[in-house]
Amino acid sequence: MSAPIRSQVITDEQSVTTARSLRSLYLIRTAFSVIWVTLIVLFAKSSAGIATFLLIVYPAWDVVGTLLDIRANRRSVSKVPQYVNAGISIVTTIAVGIALQRGIPETLVIFGCWAILTGAIQLMLGVRRRKSLGGQWPMIISGGQSVAGGISFIALAHDPTMGITSLAGYAAFGAFYYLLSAFRLAKTATHMTAE
């Protein structure tokens, strides 16, 4: 086997491995979001303690998800966007804990800022990964919607109808896009293996 062909085989195997790893991660993120949405809908109005815990856990989980994403993309040229995303989510976790002491509007503003920043990073990563992995349109759309959702959280934070349950819709859309991306990546991995 010549060097260029061997190099192509290694690259294809790495792409398949990465696609499979991301697929598994996206399924885990989908499951987490579905569970989180269910719990926030059930307990947002009946238990302040559980709701507070859930609001702090959500950005903290994004840190874990981002670190797992970095692990799944070990051969990625640059991991700076993921590390920046993890840093933003760590700061957000702390800021949410502080904002909850002041009230829900302040917490929604923090979530809005977080959604804008991490959505922009997700959009950028989706565009970059689309070339090598395919199956990234759901992540690109999700990133764009995250930015739009973040802007709306900030704009409507002091609206009396905006409660923490409004975050459930945001998380539910995220779960849907992660699930869609998982299916697209499964198709990509199967297609690459068949070639």
Side-chain angles (χ1 to χ4, degrees):
M1 185 183 300
S2 68
I5 293 173
R6 184 172 27 203
S7 175
Q8 181 62 40
V9 169
I10 291 169
T11 302
D12 288 347
E13 287 175 3
Q14 290 170 349
S15 294
V16 169
T17 301
T18 300
R20 287 180 176 157
S21 295
L22 284 175
R23 176 184 172 271
S24 297
L25 174 59
Y26 290 171
L27 289 173
I28 292 167
R29 293 192 79 150
T30 299
F32 174 86
S33 293
V34 168
I35 292 167
W36 189 87
V37 167
T38 303
L39 293 174
I40 206 78
V41 168
L42 290 173
F43 295 107
K45 293 182 178 163
S46 63
S47 174
I50 293 174
T52 298
F53 173 76
L54 290 170
L55 289 171
I56 293 170
V57 162
Y58 196 73
W61 163 249
D62 192 61
V63 176
V64 175
T66 301
L67 295 176
L68 292 172
D69 186 285
I70 291 168
R71 185 174 172 206
N73 284 284
R74 287 186 180 141
R75 291 176 172 80
S76 175
V77 176
S78 173
K79 296 177 182 70
V80 171
Q82 289 104 314
Y83 284 118
V84 169
N85 188 79
I88 291 168
S89 294
I90 289 169
V91 170
T92 300
T93 302
I94 297 165
V96 165
I98 295 167
L100 282 166
Q101 308 298 317
R102 302 190 64 172
I104 297 303
E106 291 79 2
T107 304
L108 289 173
V109 169
I110 297 296
F111 266 96
C113 293
W114 177 59
I116 291 167
L117 293 172
T118 57
I121 291 170
Q122 183 180 17
L123 179 63
M124 182 181 68
L125 285 174
V127 169
R128 187 192 314 171
R129 289 175 180 168
R130 186 177 62 87
K131 296 173 185 173
S132 62
L133 297 173
Q136 294 297 303
W137 283 112
M139 288 294 98
I140 292 169
I141 295 168
S142 176
Q145 282 193 343
S146 183
V147 171
I151 292 168
S152 73
F153 287 145
I154 293 169
L156 301 172
H158 295 281
D159 182 328
T161 62
M162 286 286 284
I164 58 174
T165 52
S166 62
L167 296 172
Y170 170 79
F173 269 112
F176 170 73
Y177 286 121
Y178 275 119
L179 184 62
L180 200 54
S181 285
F183 284 125
R184 289 286 300 134
L185 284 169
K187 188 174 179 182
T188 298
T190 302
H191 178 71
M192 287 177 173
T193 304
E195 288 181 347

